[in-house]
Amino acid sequence: IALLGASGKLITPKEAEVFYRRENQPMETELVSFPVTNFYAMSTPTEKDIEDFYTKRQADYRVPDRIQVNYVEFKISNYVAKVEKQIGTNLNEHVEQAYLQEGAAAFKDESGAPLSATAARAKIRKQMLLFAAQAEATKEANAFLNELSQGHNEEHPYAQGNLAALAKTRNLAVKTSAPFDLKGGPTDLAVAPKSLHVLFLLRDDDPDDKERSNLYAPSPLPGEDAVYVVGLHKRIPSEIQPLSAVHDKAAADYRQGKA
């Protein structure tokens, strides 16, 4: 049934053999290769060629909708010492319990080789501290976000400057990301891919959002090294890039296709 791919239809062993051999029997082939790079010298375009190529393919040079966000980061590493002090001597007990529960064979290095007992315990300790530090960073970020939400309603809507104003009272820096699209994501904001849809819901032009709460993400966003409180900086509509901005790429695309 799986080989034929037709649910509910049985086939004979002989018929099944045909499918099995087709998928598993090795074969030898011969080929002749014509490398594209060998023909680049014959594909040098004139300016008119590039302009014509670009005009007919402008959609290929469209930049998708992008956004920029403002954010305050709560670095996980800043909370490691705090949680280590809070856990105290109990940390060693938790590490030993985890090591015995998982077993020595469960801990390996990047090459797959078993770790020594000392290295395994150090790895467990680091993971536990980072997990607890992330929870503490998330707690701080939630407290910051709750304070940010105080006093806002339809009569007193959110404003873009609220994040910077509150951050200043806490001596926290506000950063602004480079423009990014939904597919590529931000390069300077290490959030999980699943958080991208949250970022692209941020807006300040929803007529039904009298409170303008959509300016800010409703909860802190976890990242690889930090937890972020995020607000919209601006949205950048999709646009077709002019030839002057993509001239070299259009020339390279022309040569590639022509070659």
Side-chain angles (χ1 to χ4, degrees):
I1 292 173
L3 285 171
L4 188 62
S7 178
K9 182 176 181 180
L10 298 176
I11 60 176
T12 66
K14 187 174 182 180
E15 290 173 315
E17 183 179 351
V18 174
F19 289 102
Y20 179 83
R21 289 190 180 281
R22 186 179 68 188
E23 297 297 329
N24 294 277
Q25 200 167 43
M27 64 179 69
E28 293 182 7
T29 63
E30 294 180 314
L31 63 86
V32 177
S33 175
F34 298 86
V36 172
T37 52
N38 290 355
F39 297 87
Y40 270 4
M42 302 166 57
S43 63
T44 303
T46 64
E47 282 301 314
K48 185 177 180 180
D49 291 332
I50 296 174
E51 291 175 6
D52 182 65
F53 181 86
Y54 166 81
T55 300
K56 293 177 180 177
R57 296 168 177 79
Q58 288 188 44
D60 294 341
Y61 302 102
R62 175 177 288 279
V63 177
D65 291 335
R66 293 170 295 160
I67 63 171
Q68 282 183 278
V69 296
N70 300 321
Y71 62 93
V72 173
E73 61 180 353
F74 296 81
K75 288 186 174 294
I76 294 173
S77 59
N78 292 345
Y79 298 89
V80 171
K82 179 180 178 180
V83 297
E84 186 173 14
K85 185 177 180 180
Q86 289 175 342
I87 299 173
T89 56
N90 290 333
L91 179 59
N92 293 332
E93 296 177 10
H94 294 318
V95 169
E96 189 63 23
Q97 183 179 4
Y99 178 72
L100 294 176
Q101 184 175 349
E102 294 293 330
F107 302 99
K108 297 179 173 61
D109 61 19
E110 294 180 356
S111 65
L115 289 172
S116 66
T118 301
R121 289 184 175 93
K123 182 177 181 180
I124 297 170
R125 179 187 180 87
K126 181 179 179 181
Q127 290 174 338
M128 285 185 170
L129 286 174
L130 287 177
F131 183 80
Q134 184 178 31
E136 191 66 24
T138 302
K139 179 181 175 182
E140 291 281 340
N142 270 311
F144 181 89
L145 190 58
N146 287 336
E147 188 172 347
L148 181 67
S149 68
Q150 297 301 312
H152 295 297
N153 50 42
E154 291 187 5
E155 286 73 33
H156 301 88
Y158 286 88
Q160 197 175 82
N162 294 152
L163 184 68
L166 179 58
K168 186 176 181 179
T169 66
R170 299 282 198 88
N171 293 319
L172 296 172
V174 176
K175 299 180 180 179
T176 301
S177 73
F180 61 91
D181 58 47
L182 182 59
K183 182 178 180 181
T187 57
D188 45 4
L189 187 67
V191 296
K194 64 181 180 181
S195 295
L196 288 180
H197 77 280
V198 176
L199 296 177
F200 271 81
L201 289 175
L202 300 177
R203 59 191 325 110
D204 60 357
D205 58 356
D206 184 353
D208 295 324
D209 182 24
K210 306 296 185 184
E211 194 177 346
R212 298 188 77 198
S213 59
N214 290 336
L215 269 172
Y216 296 98
S219 60
L221 302 181
E224 295 178 6
D225 304 311
V227 178
Y228 303 93
V229 173
V230 184
L232 179 67
H233 180 68
K234 69 177 179 178
R235 300 184 71 91
I236 307 171
S238 172
E239 61 180 352
I240 294 177
Q241 300 175 89
L243 177 57
S244 59
V246 295
H247 183 277
D248 291 346
K249 177 170 174 49
D253 291 343
Y254 174 92
R255 293 194 68 183
Q256 178 73 14
K258 200 71 173 177

